[in-house]
Amino acid sequence: MNETTQKYLFVGSYTGFEPGQLGWVGSKQPGVGILSFAFDSSNGSLNPTGKETKQDSPTWLEIHPNRRFLIATHELSHHTGVQAGVGFVTSYKILPDGGLEKVCTQSTGGRGNTCATFDRTGRFLLVTRYWEGGISVLPFDPDTGIIGEVTAQPDYKGSGPVPLRQTVPHPHGIHGDPRTNLVYAMDLGTDDVHQHVLDVKTGKLAPHSDVKLTPGSGPRGINFHPHLRVAYVNCELNGTAIVCSVDDEKGLVPIQTVHCYPEGFNAQGNPENLGKADFWGAEGCLSVNGTHYYYICRVHQSIALFNVDSEDGKLIFSSRCALATNSNARNLTMDPSGRYLLVASQDADRVECFRIKPGTGALELAHTQFAPCAADVAVL
């Protein structure tokens, strides 16, 4: 492995559960925290460094834009025994050998921290509180990696038409606009994208508006096109991706909905459908150049690939790639080189690394690596 292709890769996991204890996790083997791997972007291979960072359910990993720090959520739930209103995120310094050195742990004010991302300045951490139905903002020092105390903590109200998943708000993903101070919270429980304006001096949030999506869609996350003012909302409960134009003042404006599962596929009643809805979609992501969009179809155990129109950003189905049996992949991450897509196949206890074919964007399995209850991948 030469110097130009050697990188480090981190894999988060669910920890501390007994088989069957977490209704949305089919893995029989809990993780240990965060695993570190050497990643070769010339051939897609992963090699364990032997470094393990023990932490409670770090199911979302986020690397700061300066590449010096890694943030990990603690996705706490009933199995951890913590009370409502208790939750944390932890900051780590990334060491030259791929190890992690803890900087600090900070309270988020709530459990179920399913997502943590940085605003466009890199000075505020945006975190979901899935079980309490809200989000939190925390200051972040990009020089030291220290996370400050919560500066904003709005809660939401409402419900959706899917009884088992939408009786209350459940913000699952959160992201700052790459060009403005708008913040978007995807609420799986109410089918809303809650839009706020972040004060980048104080860390306070001002309510802006709600974007109502298809009833029962269950918005989960969002990706922004690298060049166009277009965003892609991946919806969990109805297996769709919603393409939105992005207005600097109004925020998101839906312009297209695409179905990501094969026509006629029925996920309801399938024993692998732990999401308990008509479908159980997971995360989506864009290729580095924005020409292709990928969406995880859990239960069907596949990734749907779409071509992205270069003018309006709309999606056109292109192909499909199989995941491991019983994968129920939770997250997928694009290698910064743009050559590989890395998938956290949670219930198959592995990371699957797919080579991206130039031009078509089609996926070809390049490497698999054992990682118990893999929940997320972050590549340095």
Side-chain angles (χ1 to χ4, degrees):
M1 186 183 297
N2 61 56
E3 185 178 357
T4 60
T5 61
Q6 178 173 314
K7 303 179 181 181
Y8 288 107
L9 178 152
F10 305 96
V11 180
S13 61
Y14 279 100
T15 67
F17 64 87
E18 297 296 328
Q21 188 176 20
L22 299 182
W24 60 96
V25 176
S27 171
K28 301 297 189 291
Q29 183 173 358
V32 298
I34 305 172
L35 300 179
S36 174
F37 297 89
F39 175 61
D40 189 337
S41 61
S42 70
N43 59 24
S45 63
L46 285 71
N47 294 292
T49 65
K51 300 180 185 304
E52 300 179 355
T53 303
K54 296 187 182 302
Q55 185 197 299
D56 293 333
S57 291
T59 61
W60 187 281
L61 306 179
E62 190 78 7
I63 294 175
H64 189 271
N66 67 17
R67 320 304 288 174
R68 294 175 53 204
F69 302 101
L70 180 138
I71 297 295
T73 60
H74 296 246
E75 190 181 331
L76 307 179
S77 61
H78 58 84
H79 79 290
T80 63
V82 300
Q83 298 179 347
V86 177
F88 306 94
V89 286
T90 294
S91 171
Y92 297 93
K93 181 180 179 181
I94 302 172
L95 302 178
D97 62 358
L100 298 175
E101 179 182 288
K102 181 179 174 180
V103 176
C104 71
T105 294
Q106 184 62 266
S107 170
T108 61
R111 299 178 297 175
N113 302 137
T114 53
C115 181
T117 58
F118 292 97
D119 80 311
R120 66 182 181 88
T121 72
R123 293 186 174 276
F124 290 97
L125 192 60
L126 313 171
V127 185
T128 55
R129 294 179 288 112
Y130 183 90
W131 295 114
E132 284 84 0
I135 61 173
S136 298
V137 179
L138 303 91
F140 182 82
D141 188 326
D143 295 321
T144 64
I146 292 176
I147 306 170
E149 295 183 355
V150 170
T151 55
Q153 196 177 49
D155 295 316
Y156 303 125
K157 297 179 180 179
S159 61
V162 181
L164 290 174
R165 301 294 307 279
Q166 293 188 314
T167 56
V168 294
H170 287 307
H172 200 298
I174 187 169
H175 211 292
D177 192 290
R179 299 190 191 179
T180 73
N181 293 331
L182 281 171
V183 169
Y184 309 93
M186 277 54 65
D187 193 334
L188 185 148
T190 67
D191 301 315
D192 290 320
V193 178
H194 305 292
Q195 301 185 138
H196 304 265
V197 178
L198 174 67
D199 186 324
V200 295
K201 294 182 179 179
T202 66
K204 301 297 184 181
L205 285 176
H208 180 281
S209 59
D210 290 342
V211 179
K212 178 63 70 175
L213 302 182
T214 305
S217 56
R220 176 186 173 101
I222 192 171
N223 301 101
F224 289 86
H225 195 278
H227 312 301
L228 304 174
R229 283 299 271 159
V230 177
Y232 303 83
V233 178
N234 49 291
C235 297
E236 177 173 326
L237 303 184
N238 70 352
T240 67
I242 298 177
V243 185
C244 302
S245 64
V246 184
D247 183 277
D248 288 354
E249 298 296 329
K250 296 179 181 179
L252 303 183
V253 180
I255 59 174
Q256 182 195 24
T257 299
V258 295
H259 293 270
C260 301
Y261 282 74
E263 184 176 357
F265 177 76
N266 182 10
Q268 190 63 265
N270 188 306
E272 294 177 19
N273 183 2
L274 307 182
K276 301 178 178 64
D278 288 346
F279 296 94
W280 196 28
E283 294 298 328
C285 77
L286 286 156
S287 59
V288 170
N289 59 9
T291 57
H292 299 95
Y293 177 77
Y294 302 88
Y295 176 105
I296 296 174
C297 297
R298 287 187 287 194
V299 186
H300 188 260
Q301 316 305 8
S302 68
I303 295 177
L305 163 62
F306 296 85
N307 294 330
V308 178
D309 188 280
S310 61
E311 294 187 3
D312 60 15
K314 290 184 177 180
L315 300 178
I316 304 169
F317 179 78
S318 174
S319 62
R320 188 174 299 278
C321 178
L323 290 168
T325 303
N326 301 324
S327 162
N328 277 340
R330 183 173 179 84
N331 280 303
L332 73 175
T333 301
M334 189 65 57
D335 160 36
S337 75
R339 293 194 289 265
Y340 295 94
L341 184 68
L342 295 128
V343 181
S345 284
Q346 173 186 287
D347 291 354
D349 298 312
R350 69 187 70 180
V351 173
E352 299 186 76
C353 180
F354 293 90
R355 183 179 294 106
I356 300 172
K357 294 183 180 180
T360 67
L363 301 177
E364 177 184 43
L365 185 63
H367 186 83
T368 61
Q369 174 62 50
F370 173 71
C373 204
D376 195 18
V377 179
V379 187
L380 188 60

